[in-house]
Amino acid sequence: MRDTNEESAPADRRTTAESIEHGAGGLSIGEVLARVRPDAAPKPDLGPAMDLDDLVAAIVAAAGRHVPAGRLAPDADFFDAGGTSINAVELAAELEEQLRIEINLDEVFADSRPTALARQWLPLLQQTAAPARTPRPAPPLPAGPHPSGLPHTRARRDDLHQILADLALADQLPFTDVPEPLPPRRILLTGATGFLGSHMLLDLLRHSDAHVYCLVRAADQEAAVARLGAQLRSYALPWSNEIRRRVTVLPGDIRRPRLGLTDEQWTGLTLELDSVVGVAAAVDFLRGYQSLRAGNVLGALTLAELAATGRPKPLHHISSIAVFNEVGITSMGEDDPLAHVDRLVSGYDQSKWAAEVALRRARDHGLVVTALRPGGIGGHTKTGAYNAQDLSSGLISAFGRFRTVPAFRYLNAAPVDWVSRVAVATICEPDAWGFDYNLTGVPNTLDDVVRDMALGGMHVRVQGWDEWRETTLARLKAEPVPELAFLGRVLESPTALQLCEATLKGPAACSDRTDALVSALRLAPATRYDAQAQLKTFEKLADDGLARLPRKDDPPYLWFTETTEGAVGPVGRDADTSCSMALTLSVASMYQVVKERRVDVTGEVTSPAIHAEPLTVESGDLWIRPEEGIPLQHGMRHQLLFSRLELRDADGGLWWLEGRKYAQARRNLWHQTRALSVEIGREGETASLCGEVVVPADSYVRDQIDGIRVDPRLTSREKRAAKLTWLAWFGLEMGRGLLAPFARTAADLLDLRRPATVTERNR
């Protein structure tokens, strides 16, 4: 009888592959390859006695079963042919089973052309080759040390040779004249479905009169329009008839000759366009140069050909600060030398370097090229929209979720709305064309990040890079987060790890030219991408399960005591019974008070009118200026504070207490800040007691200023900063609350439109 487990294997294998793609299961690469098996019938055992041609043929046959077209040419890239991460896992598992060798999945991501994989794996087969057949040996690896000190592998030498060959392609571009120095009216934009490109599309429409042609990868016009609209909406951007009227969507592909357009479309664009903007790029830190060059390098050269053909047009190229990603580089100024390409370890870094250097050569042909280099692109400061696959978002999510940070020098990151706005302003300003700009904003230091997170109630521990990586990987496996699966793959890839190391140890990017342009155009200057700027994004990350916001049950970040004394009595009668409260007010984070304007309350309430024994505060909240200073029932009293306490007496009875502080246009401001009007009642009933309690004058400063306590895990400097931040925020809120009724009174006195009083009418 057939094993039922064997019958369910295909479904289990697909589930496992999908879990790896989406981050569930927390499996290592070895576990992935052990658990994923092909759906199709078992393939014949090819055995170790194979030569290079045999191995290429075997990989071609297997890869064809995992791409949409059903076939793959020997020199074609698996991912460019439509293969996904799931497909790559399945392909590696299938080939490992057939060839009986251990396959490193990183090799599939680095260069997924069958010919390249065959050259990588043939030596493994040779080690177990049958003596009856001598396989054809692979060409020898040239001798000599590698200039960077990195491993001297055939793949790296092949990449360098390919990069040099790709740079030479720029010499084949046509010569062109200088374009007219006028703001563009017809713009081709690639990458409009991406995170930065979608925001740039909307900024181009908002801040210019241009009509924008968007190149969108899709099967036809209808699918391209639908894809663009869906992507814009996913980033909280509008997609309306007015926008649609000013956008022409062209189905095409940056990786194909002439962008996959017809001859008629291509010729029309060469004559009609005023500007070409290249944003499209494959941002993947696992894939190698050979896998990325079609889109990131050849695509950029195709746009340069379009810009140089027909009507002269400027080319605005979205590059990356990754062109400096060499370990040990000392400066990253806009005109500083780029990294040595042989010392760039990531295929992404190499491809961005090659594209920018090739376009520099294109300048020798008369082409006006503007290189715009973002660093990390953070979420939108207003909408919170973010790119889940951006390394900066992944790192910020991990910092907040796991409360650990690797030691780093600088994070060169800026919010997408600022990057997009400055990029579009550059495109629309002819005097800005033809230069290089670092769109990196104000760098964050390690102290900046630790302080921001501490003030937000997220106390992080700084670890060395290796310790942080191991800890984060372990947490990602123990607590799988689908959207952070890519971060786990990056942290498991030796190549991507070197990219992260170069990023974390690099210097601060300088942006003098960008700052001068921003000032000249009167744009918002760059500011540090701090806790306030990240607030909306962090909330969205938390909603999506990537980050974790402080919670009420977290250890308090800051707390102090408050003692009040006074009297209460039955509603409608004199307050003749003593009442006192001994409370502890605390906040889990400054995020809590800034966002919710709320303070947590614990402690006891004592009054013989309620019970002979003190009542315990079961739960309590205090809201500061809950109505933003709006006067109560349009009168002259403004609420400063509102508190709600749930109480339990010694017999188990439940009570509630509501307290309010009011500000009025009177001279007794000191009393107003200390006096609290209270109402008390049994649970589910209306108030039976009311009165007033007051903070004694001699205890206010002692308890609520000098007596502030801060989380002991913070350093002395962080404790001082936390205390001063709280006092500044609370003092400002109280000042606003106390000032509001005076301002309203003054406005009423000066309002000439108000009805005349009886005395005024009798004058």
Side-chain angles (χ1 to χ4, degrees):
M1 183 175 68
R2 190 174 184 179
D3 191 344
T4 56
N5 290 333
E6 183 178 341
E7 292 178 352
S8 63
D12 292 343
R13 179 194 52 72
R14 185 69 188 182
T15 301
T16 301
E18 290 176 351
S19 75
I20 300 307
E21 173 74 4
H22 298 293
L27 301 178
S28 67
I29 293 297
E31 292 169 323
V32 173
L33 299 177
R35 292 180 59 175
V36 178
R37 289 296 180 264
D39 281 330
K43 306 299 182 300
D45 183 1
L46 299 175
M50 303 176 68
D51 62 16
L52 185 61
D53 293 337
D54 293 336
L55 185 54
V56 170
I59 297 173
V60 165
R65 292 189 284 272
H66 298 279
V67 295
R71 61 185 182 280
L72 185 70
D75 288 318
D77 182 79
F78 178 78
F79 294 101
D80 280 346
T84 65
S85 297
I86 293 177
N87 301 138
V89 171
E90 294 176 328
L91 173 61
E94 180 177 344
L95 290 172
E96 185 176 67
E97 183 175 359
Q98 291 182 36
L99 303 175
R100 294 185 295 175
I101 61 174
E102 184 176 350
I103 291 176
N104 184 342
L105 190 58
D106 284 335
E107 294 175 352
V108 179
F109 279 98
D111 189 348
S112 57
R113 295 172 302 160
T115 52
L117 294 175
R119 285 196 298 268
Q120 290 274 355
W121 297 339
L122 186 59
L124 297 176
L125 287 175
Q126 290 176 342
Q127 293 174 7
T128 57
R133 179 179 179 184
T134 302
R136 185 185 310 164
L141 180 67
H146 194 279
S148 68
L150 298 170
H152 194 167
T153 64
R154 178 179 305 281
R156 285 193 60 80
R157 290 190 63 83
D158 287 350
D159 288 345
L160 293 176
H161 291 158
Q162 186 64 67
I163 289 171
L164 294 176
D166 290 342
L167 296 183
L169 295 175
D171 297 332
Q172 301 176 21
L173 291 171
F175 288 85
T176 185
D177 292 327
V178 177
E180 292 185 78
L182 297 172
R185 301 297 301 272
R186 291 171 296 277
I187 300 173
L188 175 71
L189 174 68
T190 70
T193 57
F195 184 54
L196 176 59
S198 62
H199 286 85
M200 287 181 62
L201 170 60
L202 267 295
D203 277 336
L204 283 169
L205 298 178
R206 291 184 184 116
H207 302 290
S208 78
D209 296 325
H211 186 92
V212 183
Y213 297 79
C214 294
L215 186 76
V216 176
R217 191 169 66 249
D220 52 40
Q221 175 80 14
E222 183 179 357
V225 172
R227 183 179 176 221
L228 178 60
Q231 287 298 103
L232 290 176
R233 287 189 290 268
S234 73
Y235 295 129
L237 295 171
W239 179 242
S240 62
N241 289 334
E242 176 60 20
I243 293 173
R244 182 72 181 86
R245 183 182 65 81
R246 294 180 57 196
V247 172
T248 296
V249 181
L250 300 173
D253 192 334
I254 190 71
R255 300 168 299 182
R256 295 176 59 188
R258 292 196 166 185
L259 308 177
L261 302 174
T262 65
D263 290 343
E264 182 180 359
Q265 288 174 321
W266 174 269
T267 301
L269 291 178
T270 64
L271 300 175
E272 296 174 7
L273 293 177
D274 299 315
S275 185
V276 177
V277 181
V279 186
V283 182
D284 194 318
F285 304 118
L286 299 177
R287 292 168 63 182
Y289 179 80
Q290 300 285 356
S291 181
L292 295 170
R293 63 183 287 266
N296 293 5
V297 182
L298 301 185
L301 288 170
T302 303
L303 293 179
E305 180 186 359
L306 176 64
T309 304
R311 184 179 186 179
K313 301 169 281 295
L315 171 61
H316 305 285
H317 170 66
I318 298 297
S319 184
S320 170
I321 207 70
V323 297
F324 295 105
N325 244 5
E326 173 188 338
V327 174
I329 201 165
T330 58
S331 63
M332 297 194 300
E334 290 161 321
D335 296 323
D336 284 346
L338 306 185
H340 295 80
V341 68
D342 61 326
R343 299 178 187 177
L344 295 176
V345 297
S346 162
Y348 176 76
D349 295 352
Q350 292 171 337
S351 68
K352 299 305 287 186
W353 185 97
E356 184 168 327
V357 172
L359 294 179
R360 287 187 177 190
R361 285 196 183 189
R363 286 172 174 167
D364 295 336
H365 287 230
L367 185 64
V368 174
V369 178
T370 307
L372 302 161
R373 305 186 191 118
I377 302 179
H380 198 288
T381 58
K382 300 296 191 298
T383 68
Y386 66 94
N387 180 8
Q389 298 303 310
D390 181 76
L391 187 58
S392 297
S393 295
L395 290 174
I396 290 173
S397 299
F399 296 168
R401 187 175 185 84
F402 303 136
R403 303 294 198 263
T404 57
V405 174
F408 61 85
R409 292 182 64 194
Y410 297 97
L411 288 181
N412 295 294
V416 66
D417 41 322
W418 184 85
V419 174
S420 172
R421 183 67 189 93
V422 175
V424 166
T426 306
I427 293 166
C428 296
E429 176 50 60
D431 288 341
W433 299 348
F435 299 98
D436 301 334
Y437 298 89
N438 288 347
L439 307 186
T440 51
V442 178
N444 270 303
T445 66
L446 177 61
D447 286 345
D448 290 334
V449 172
V450 171
R451 182 175 60 253
D452 284 349
M453 301 196 77
L455 291 176
M458 295 172 284
H459 316 290
V460 295
R461 184 161 54 94
V462 179
Q463 299 176 313
W465 167 248
D466 291 335
E467 181 186 5
W468 182 84
R469 170 184 170 271
E470 293 173 1
T471 301
T472 302
L473 273 174
R475 295 290 297 274
L476 286 172
K477 291 178 181 180
E479 308 170 26
V481 182
E483 293 80 2
L484 290 181
F486 82 97
L487 180 61
R489 289 195 291 269
V490 167
L491 295 179
E492 286 186 315
S493 167
T495 299
L497 283 180
Q498 294 180 67
L499 177 151
C500 291
E501 182 180 0
T503 301
L504 296 175
K505 293 182 178 180
C510 299
S511 53
D512 294 341
R513 180 180 292 117
T514 301
D515 295 341
L517 177 66
V518 167
S519 176
L521 297 180
R522 299 183 179 181
L523 303 177
T527 56
R528 193 169 63 82
Y529 191 47
D530 59 7
Q532 185 62 37
Q534 296 176 29
L535 182 60
K536 287 290 186 182
T537 297
F538 211 89
E539 290 175 350
K540 199 166 191 321
L541 287 168
D543 289 342
D544 294 342
L546 273 75
R548 178 183 176 274
L549 290 171
R551 297 191 294 239
K552 192 172 183 178
D553 56 354
D554 286 343
Y557 164 68
L558 178 147
W559 67 94
F560 55 87
T561 60
E562 179 181 83
T563 301
T564 57
E565 299 174 354
V568 296
V571 175
R573 296 167 59 183
D574 293 338
D576 54 5
T577 306
S578 66
C579 180
S580 64
M581 297 191 294
L583 306 176
T584 297
L585 280 63
S586 64
V587 295
S589 66
M590 285 305 296
Y591 168 84
Q592 172 184 324
V593 294
V594 172
K595 180 65 178 178
E596 304 177 24
R597 312 173 72 87
R598 182 182 61 80
V599 177
D600 300 317
V601 182
T602 59
E604 292 182 340
V605 175
T606 302
S607 177
I610 308 174
H611 197 278
E613 300 292 330
L615 287 78
T616 302
V617 178
E618 293 271 292
S619 66
D621 298 288
L622 182 150
W623 288 270
I624 300 167
R625 293 184 65 226
E627 298 179 3
E628 293 281 353
I630 298 174
L632 186 68
Q633 296 179 348
H634 306 287
M636 297 307 297
R637 293 195 305 167
H638 294 237
Q639 283 199 82
L640 287 175
L641 300 175
F642 170 73
S643 60
R644 170 85 183 189
L645 309 181
E646 304 295 334
L647 309 173
R648 184 182 294 274
D649 61 34
D651 298 326
L654 297 179
W655 298 74
W656 59 265
L657 181 151
E658 289 186 355
R660 292 177 172 83
K661 284 186 182 181
Y662 296 103
Q664 301 183 69
R666 296 178 179 177
R667 294 181 180 180
N668 62 340
L669 298 181
W670 178 232
H671 179 79
Q672 293 180 41
T673 61
R674 297 181 293 116
L676 187 73
S677 300
V678 297
E679 293 182 329
I680 305 171
R682 285 189 176 276
E683 183 184 32
E685 298 179 5
T686 59
S688 57
L689 300 169
C690 65
E692 182 181 83
V693 294
V694 181
V695 177
D698 61 347
S699 71
Y700 190 93
V701 174
R702 183 188 68 228
D703 293 344
Q704 301 192 33
I705 298 179
D706 296 339
I708 292 177
R709 299 291 179 265
V710 183
D711 191 326
R713 293 175 293 179
L714 300 182
T715 65
S716 297
R717 185 175 66 174
E718 291 169 345
K719 289 178 181 178
R720 288 194 298 271
K723 185 174 180 179
L724 291 174
T725 301
W726 161 259
L727 289 174
W729 182 86
F730 184 75
L732 179 63
E733 291 299 312
M734 289 296 98
R736 288 175 175 172
L738 293 169
L739 180 63
F742 287 93
R744 182 177 177 85
T745 299
D748 286 348
L749 290 174
L750 295 174
D751 188 358
L752 301 180
R753 296 169 301 175
R754 64 183 176 84
T757 64
V758 174
T759 302
E760 291 171 335
R761 286 197 298 267
N762 292 333
R763 286 178 182 173

